[in-house]
Amino acid sequence: MDLLDLPDGSLCALVGPPGSGKSTFAARYPDSWRVCLDVYRRLATDSEADQSATPVAAEIQNLLLDARLSRGLNVLVDSTNVFPHVRAGLLARARYWQRLAVAVLFDVPLPTVEAQNAGRDRVVPLHIVREHHQMLPDADHLHREGFTAVHLVSELLATSGALRRGTRH
């Protein structure tokens, strides 16, 4: 189910803490659209959690971003994207390739994020989840950074009828 109706060639950054539902959301779209630092860390080290592999994972991600954006293909960045410098890099790539940059803000309450994180195969330490949740920008901030559209995941899921009590996102 396509909740976003992205224009062709768009970069879509998912912005949210671990456990907020980004990967579940990304699974609604074709696999070929998704770039994910966790996947590239795992491919480089056999561990998604090995943060020492982040520079290599970022290089892989950037290569794939350029490959897709240069061809006018949609790309979904399934990482936390809570750090301003990370979002600035994504926006710079979109500008370079003259593509739209869209953000999906995972405005999920902290207790829900903590519960979802606890139920994951790879549980992220609680202090990191809380730190990333506190770092979340608001929609106005993302617009000021340069995202042409900002969608709140709560509104997308509610509008689509996909948000039901007890459903994990």
Side-chain angles (χ1 to χ4, degrees), residues 51-89:
Q51 298 299 309
S52 72
T54 299
V56 169
E59 286 185 45
I60 295 167
Q61 176 177 282
N62 288 340
L63 287 171
L64 290 170
L65 284 170
D66 288 341
R68 293 193 62 79
L69 293 173
S70 70
R71 291 170 174 79
L73 300 172
N74 287 340
V75 62
L76 199 67
V77 185
D78 179 12
S79 299
T80 62
N81 299 313
V82 296
F83 295 100
H85 73 277
V86 170
R87 294 190 304 272

Side-chain angles (χ1 to χ4, degrees), residues 7-73:
D8 289 342
S10 297
L11 180 148
C12 179
L14 306 184
V15 182
S20 61
K22 296 179 304 298
S23 294
T24 300
F25 184 89
R28 297 170 182 263
Y29 296 88
D31 286 346
S32 60
W33 290 20
R34 183 179 179 228
V35 296
C36 180
L37 291 176
D38 286 347
V39 170
Y40 309 136
R41 280 192 288 264
R42 181 175 45 81
L43 290 172
T45 67
D46 290 335
S47 171
E48 293 179 356
D50 187 344
Q51 298 299 309
S52 72
T54 299
V56 169
E59 286 185 45
I60 295 167
Q61 176 177 282
N62 288 340
L63 287 171
L64 290 170
L65 284 170
D66 288 341
R68 293 193 62 79
L69 293 173
S70 70
R71 291 170 174 79
L73 300 172

Side-chain angles (χ1 to χ4, degrees), residues 13 17 46 50 65 70 94 107-108 119 124 129 157 160 167:
D46 290 335
D50 187 344
L65 284 170
S70 70
D107 58 335
V108 180
V124 175
V129 171
L157 296 176
S160 74
T167 302

